[in-house]
Amino acid sequence: MQSENNTSAPTTPRLRHRRRSNEAIPDATKANGSHLLVHDRNKYKSFLVRAYSTVWMIAGFVLIVYMGHLYITAMVVVIQIFMARELFNLLRKAHEERDLPGFRMLNWHFFFTAMLFVYGRILSQRLVNTVTSDKFLYQFVSSLIKYHMVICYFLYISGFVWFILTLKKKMYKYQFSQYAWTHMILIVVFAQSSFTVASIFEGIFWFLLPASLIVINDIAAYIFGFFFGRTPLIKLSPKKTWEGFIGASVATITSAFVLANIMGRFQWLTCPRKDLATGWLHCDPGPLFKPESFPLPGWLPWKEITILPVQWHALCLGLFASIIAPFGGFFASGFKRAFKIKVQSQ
């Protein structure tokens, strides 16, 4: 009887579907085709837009550098704030946070606590040197610096207690994931910016030269890839080519050697800043910035060449920028693809 029921009932085969990946996979035909490389007719419009924006960005950057160390630091802080805001919103779920009033403010509480901790350690002595002329301000600032670690620790603990008090049933997983995500953002943002700000006050040269090499590498890679690019470099960014990578490396290393000689002759760029003032700087250049003469062969029209010792260091910086800068872009591309920020290939 049981076998009859089994035979009489219609059987429908179950269809098994593969679960598709959430990552946006670039089209393989576009990666090696002529549409994205040398024969792309729409690339000239993009080239003009990028060239126009690049000119304005470089002009603004030069103006900030001319204004001095404090303004460059302010620029870094503003960039950090915008970066943190984008990262905070990356995993944000609006429908979840409707039931958590004030939870977003907790992220910024940790952010500004980390900012006070990092920059307080770097700029404390320079702040003291700035207010030495006023007795009241000097005592006030000295007291803040004395209890700097205690203040930062208290602010962090208050944020921790704040987080515990905001925990709600059925939302624990989301809240703890946001707590961990916030701390990861703080590590990523402030770990590198602390070295950047410290380098600025040791001499704008040590900030401006590496930053310029990154910009030159990016621009050169785009130009060489635009005119000569035929061989894709990596599937993660199909528009990146080996021709652009090699051409940008040569341009970056050469620029590093030349720019170090030019920048190293200006005291405004090489002198360290011991306070937070904006006045002009005068100092005795260190041995890295004192020119050395080297004789040339007699068949050349020049008898000798003058080189700053820092130019040999700049070659290492140029080589480092040539290799690491593109991979920083690849990391950003993969990060955006993982979170579906960028759909089109870059």
Side-chain angles (χ1 to χ4, degrees):
M1 189 67 180
Q2 186 176 358
S3 60
E4 292 180 0
N5 292 335
N6 290 338
T7 56
S8 61
T11 58
T12 57
R14 297 179 62 184
L15 299 178
R16 302 180 64 181
H17 298 277
R18 286 187 177 181
R19 186 178 180 181
R20 295 184 178 180
S21 174
N22 292 329
E23 295 188 4
I25 302 176
D27 191 354
T29 59
K30 291 184 178 181
N32 296 316
S34 60
H35 180 66
L36 292 180
L37 299 177
V38 293
H39 302 295
D40 188 358
R41 296 181 179 179
N42 296 323
K43 67 181 181 180
Y44 294 99
K45 182 179 179 180
S46 175
F47 181 83
L48 292 176
V49 172
R50 293 196 181 194
Y52 181 78
S53 60
T54 298
V55 170
W56 279 104
M57 290 177 66
I58 292 178
F61 181 73
V62 170
L63 177 62
I64 293 174
V65 171
Y66 175 78
M67 294 175 69
H69 305 68
L70 196 59
Y71 291 91
I72 301 175
T73 303
M75 177 189 68
V76 173
V77 172
V78 171
I79 292 174
Q80 282 183 328
I81 293 175
F82 279 99
M83 184 189 305
R85 187 185 67 173
E86 293 297 324
L87 292 175
F88 284 150
N89 293 332
L90 195 58
L91 296 183
R92 181 182 180 184
K93 296 180 180 179
H95 65 280
E96 297 281 355
E97 294 193 4
R98 281 198 296 264
D99 299 328
L100 298 171
F103 185 75
R104 181 57 48 184
M105 291 296 298
L106 183 60
N107 293 337
W108 290 109
H109 173 84
F110 285 119
F111 178 84
F112 287 108
T113 299
M115 181 179 293
L116 178 63
F117 174 76
V118 172
Y119 294 146
R121 292 173 62 89
I122 297 174
L123 305 178
S124 58
Q125 187 56 48
R126 294 176 175 86
L127 181 60
V128 170
N129 296 337
T130 306
V131 299
T132 51
S133 58
D134 191 301
K135 184 177 179 180
F136 173 77
L137 283 178
Y138 179 79
Q139 293 178 349
F140 177 72
V141 170
S142 299
S143 300
L144 289 179
I145 294 173
K146 182 179 179 181
Y147 298 103
H148 172 253
M149 294 292 292
V150 176
I151 294 173
C152 293
Y153 182 74
F154 173 78
L155 289 175
Y156 180 81
I157 293 300
S158 63
F160 176 76
V161 174
W162 182 1
F163 168 74
I164 297 300
L165 294 177
T166 59
L167 290 176
K168 285 191 175 183
K169 194 174 182 180
K170 297 183 179 180
M171 304 186 71
Y172 296 151
K173 183 177 181 180
Y174 174 75
Q175 289 180 277
F176 274 100
S177 64
Q178 287 291 311
Y179 184 80
W181 179 245
T182 299
H183 283 69
M184 194 204 77
I185 293 173
L186 298 182
I187 294 174
V188 170
V189 171
F190 286 102
Q192 54 184 337
S193 64
S194 60
F195 295 104
T196 301
V197 174
S199 299
I200 292 171
F201 283 90
E202 289 299 324
I204 298 178
F205 176 92
W206 301 110
F207 163 78
L208 183 59
L209 180 63
S212 301
L213 295 181
I214 297 298
V215 174
I216 290 172
N217 183 269
D218 189 60
I219 295 175
Y222 181 75
I223 292 176
F224 279 97
F226 183 88
F227 290 104
F228 309 106
R230 295 180 180 273
T231 311
L233 175 62
I234 187 172
K235 292 182 179 180
L236 193 61
S237 295
K239 286 188 178 181
K240 300 295 191 301
T241 61
W242 275 105
E243 291 80 3
F245 178 80
I246 297 173
S249 299
V250 175
T252 303
I253 295 173
T254 304
S255 301
F257 191 79
V258 176
L259 285 178
N261 188 286
I262 298 174
M263 296 180 184
R265 299 179 183 275
F266 293 93
Q267 291 189 3
W268 179 244
L269 301 179
T270 58
C271 291
R273 171 67 74 178
K274 300 299 182 182
D275 53 28
L276 299 181
T278 57
W280 202 255
L281 291 173
H282 299 281
C283 66
D284 181 23
L288 288 177
F289 300 101
K290 292 182 179 180
E292 298 178 351
S293 298
F294 296 90
L296 295 176
W299 50 271
L300 291 175
W302 304 278
K303 295 183 179 180
E304 61 180 17
I305 184 173
T306 302
I307 295 178
L308 300 180
V310 75
Q311 290 181 256
W312 308 118
H313 295 264
L315 289 178
C316 298
L317 291 176
L319 180 62
F320 182 84
S322 301
I323 298 175
I324 300 303
F327 283 91
F330 300 153
F331 176 84
S333 297
F335 188 83
K336 291 179 179 180
R337 292 182 189 280
F339 290 95
K340 299 181 181 180
I341 298 176
K342 180 174 58 178
V343 179
Q344 297 179 353
S345 59
Q346 180 175 330

